[in-house]
Amino acid sequence: MSGHSKWSTIKRKKGAIDAERGKIFQKLAKELYVAAKNGDSDPNNNSQLRMVIEKCKAENMPKSNIESAIQKAQNKNNAENYESIRYEGYGPNGIAIMIDCLTDNKNRTASYVRSTLTKKNGNLGTDGSVSYMFKRKGLIILEDGYDLDKAMEDILNLDILDMEVDENIVIYTTPENFISVLEELKKLGYDKIVTSEVTFIPDNYIKLDSENEEKVMSLIETLEDCDDVQNVYHNMEM
């Protein structure tokens, strides 16, 4: 895999202005709510909730926000109900796009996703049309500043799938080993984390010129502007 400038969207979020950060926290709160409502509210007994909490911590979401979202899910009188939906399709130049949503109105979300893809020179595909190009993996990105030789020796002794080194150290795990690897990293002192989540990684990346890359990024950013859209995955190399 080439470099990891493909994580520039994550870095951009880390330096987002307050309004953008508020939107990120809002989406994370929805993920927390759904994970807690659909399982045990104790993260020690709910691996999905635990993974979302780690994702929240990497985004520096306040502890009070995390606890509030979980408590909200425990309220039996709360009628909010979100459905998980995945849309698959293509962006400009055949870039594979996978869009995960949490929505209380399927028609509204489907209309937004379809119209956005069409307006931005993409198209909606059928279920399975692009998902086979991605693998679900744990992703942990460490801040720079660590002793690289020592870090590589320590990390390669953990139960990981792969790692990359560029500006940051990028670690891939299986979804099952994600939490245990994250805990081991913290025990070893690698606790400065840019992002930590279980996500979808493409098998291969497509390199575009700057003009077409901007078109794809415009599509991704417009999709992410929708409150119903939680995550957008793609196979464009940046």
Side-chain angles (χ1 to χ4, degrees), residues 24 27 32 37 42-43 73-74 77 96 115 122-123 129 160 170 172 191 211 213 219 222 230-232:
I24 292 169
K27 293 189 178 190
L32 287 165
K37 197 170 184 67
D42 182 351
Q74 292 176 295
N77 295 322
S115 64
N123 62 278
S129 58
I160 66 171
V170 182
Y172 301 95
D191 53 0
E211 180 180 349
E213 181 179 315
L219 167 61
T222 303
Q230 294 297 116
N231 295 289
V232 179

Side-chain angles (χ1 to χ4, degrees), residues 210-228:
S210 58
E211 180 180 349
N212 286 305
E213 181 179 315
E214 287 181 10
K215 290 178 181 178
V216 176
M217 286 308 305
S218 176
L219 167 61
I220 293 167
E221 288 168 1
T222 303
L223 287 168
E224 289 179 337
D225 276 342
C226 178
D227 290 340
D228 296 337

